[in-house]
Amino acid sequence: MLPLRRHPVRVLIIEPRLEHRGRGNLTTTRRWAEGLTARGIDVVTAASQNAEELEGQSFDLVHAHHAGRSGPAGLRLARRHRMPLVVSSGGTDIRGPRAFTPEVKDVLRHADLVISPFNSDAECIAGALGAPIPFAVVPRGIPAGAAPTPPEDPRADRWLFSGGLRDVKDPLLAVRIAEAARRAGFDVALDLYGPAIDESLLPVLENTLASSPDRYRGEAPPDTMSDIYESHDLLINSSLSEGASNSILEAWRSGLVVLARRVPGNIEMLSGAPSEIAFLFDEGNLLDPPMRAWLAAAARNRRANARRAWEHVRTHHSEKLEIDALLTGYRRATSRGRSESGPRGA
């Protein structure tokens, strides 16, 4: 069993291959590495394409983040060196058009433990594999920081889209929502931040914004994102497929309310939040009466909602809760007695 409380141990976290630092997977794995290091764990992170370069090093556990992009590299290393394998899932590996590829299924079947932010993912994965798997929930968490204090004075609402420009994030829908809000009488402007991961979307977006108050601001340096969130009032999450969105947590921490598309991942993230700070929309019912009423109330109650959002993160999505659950999962994976035989079924 991993002696996490008595001695430092070595954990290898394999990240998905990343062409852009703005992707949420990198944000998550770096936060885990920092939190685990603070608890006395020796953590090494490696991109999936570089994992083989660590062949000669010794680890007590391999943790592959994303069953599709990192899982195969993690499974190969775990089998070769007879180490326990933890796989974190819950994004495009089990949701969307590229979910549950044969490679993903193979990784999930052989993991000593699969972790995800949501209980519902256990049933989803078991249904795809035809059998239950060792599973644990690790909720997303971030440091809460200081409580935000937005101004109450009447002014235009500043809306934010934060995410890479690619089809799955559907930034054009976010623009359509802002346009519909203005037609309904709301004084809003939308800023879109994120790297142009799918560069073919960029000219389409720029053409759409040509005669609009909305703006694409490009990719912002990570150390400026807190200020960007704090200068806005509302986050739009328009994703076609979503896991546990870091941008939603960052928005709540900064006092923003969240308007999110009704898809798995967003549904679970928003279901436990106060209704004043979270609204799920359907593309076919944009700016219907309930949505207009929610937007109007959000604009009237900025300061109270900012406090509600921050308290929700502090209480339900703290960094401590996340790292505690992650360490519990690591202990469970190693206590299965597989450190001598490698991952399940190997």
Side-chain angles (χ1 to χ4, degrees):
M1 181 174 178
L2 218 61
L4 295 176
R5 293 194 180 276
R6 289 180 292 175
H7 307 289
V9 295
R10 296 200 86 206
V11 172
L12 171 63
I13 297 179
I14 302 179
E15 304 167 333
R17 182 185 183 113
L18 294 165
E19 293 81 18
H20 294 274
R21 64 185 178 185
R23 288 195 170 183
N25 285 323
L26 181 59
T27 301
T28 299
T29 54
R30 295 299 162 85
R31 186 177 64 246
W32 286 343
E34 290 174 7
L36 291 167
T37 299
R39 303 286 188 96
I41 309 302
D42 183 9
V43 180
V44 175
T45 59
S48 56
Q49 71 271 24
N50 300 326
E52 299 292 334
E53 297 174 8
L54 302 172
E55 188 70 37
Q57 298 192 37
S58 174
F59 298 96
D60 298 286
L61 179 143
V62 177
H63 177 172
H65 184 51
H66 196 286
R69 297 194 185 115
S70 300
L75 182 57
R76 284 194 298 271
L77 276 176
R79 279 175 165 165
R80 194 172 300 147
H81 298 285
R82 312 184 80 78
M83 296 180 290
L85 174 66
V86 171
V87 175
S88 42
S89 190
T92 54
D93 47 355
I94 66 168
R95 295 192 179 96
R98 292 180 290 277
F100 292 115
T101 64
E103 205 169 33
V104 165
K105 289 182 177 180
D106 185 55
V107 168
L108 294 173
R109 285 192 180 102
H110 289 94
D112 289 285
L113 185 69
V114 176
I115 63 174
S116 167
F118 310 122
N119 272 310
S120 57
D121 288 340
E123 185 176 344
C124 171
I125 295 169
L129 299 184
I133 56 166
F135 181 87
V137 171
V138 175
R140 287 288 189 269
I142 55 174
T149 54
E152 288 282 20
D153 56 304
R155 57 179 170 81
D157 269 1
R158 294 190 64 187
W159 290 8
L160 175 67
F161 170 95
S162 177
L165 296 191
R166 49 188 176 131
D167 287 341
V168 72
K169 296 298 182 183
D170 204 358
L172 295 175
L173 177 60
V175 175
R176 283 171 45 207
I177 294 171
E179 291 171 344
R182 286 190 289 272
R183 289 195 299 271
F186 292 94
D187 188 6
V188 305
L190 173 68
D191 292 323
L192 298 98
Y193 283 89
I197 294 173
D198 180 355
E199 294 186 356
S200 67
L201 273 177
L202 190 54
V204 179
L205 179 63
E206 290 175 339
N207 183 61
T208 302
L209 299 178
S211 58
S212 167
D214 306 327
R215 292 289 179 266
Y216 172 56
R217 306 291 186 181
E219 182 177 7
D223 60 358
T224 67
M225 284 307 299
S226 291
D227 290 339
I228 289 169
Y229 277 101
E230 289 171 7
S231 66
H232 290 80
D233 304 297
L234 177 148
L235 176 80
I236 297 181
N237 182 304
S238 49
S239 296
L240 290 161
S241 176
E242 192 59 88
S245 168
N246 286 307
S247 65
I248 288 177
L249 292 184
E250 290 165 1
W252 280 336
R253 175 178 63 185
S254 300
L256 282 67
V257 296
V258 172
L259 186 63
R261 193 180 204 146
R262 190 186 303 275
V263 294
N266 284 345
I267 293 171
E268 287 86 351
M269 280 287 283
L270 271 63
S271 64
S275 60
E276 295 92 342
I277 66 167
F279 189 92
L280 290 164
F281 69 85
D282 298 293
E283 186 177 359
N285 296 312
L286 298 182
L287 273 294
D288 61 4
M291 186 171 172
R292 290 200 302 270
W294 182 83
L295 288 172
R300 289 194 306 268
N301 299 291
R302 286 194 189 98
R303 184 161 291 181
N305 285 341
R307 183 74 188 197
R308 287 188 186 100
W310 178 79
E311 287 282 5
H312 181 65
V313 168
R314 189 173 69 89
T315 304
H316 299 285
H317 294 283
S318 72
E319 186 180 35
K320 181 181 184 303
L321 286 174
E322 182 180 41
I323 299 302
D324 283 350
L326 190 57
L327 288 174
T328 299
Y330 285 178
R331 291 191 192 96
R332 180 178 166 190
T334 55
S335 69
R336 295 177 63 86
R338 303 194 187 276
S339 57
E340 297 300 320
S341 58
R344 291 193 308 144

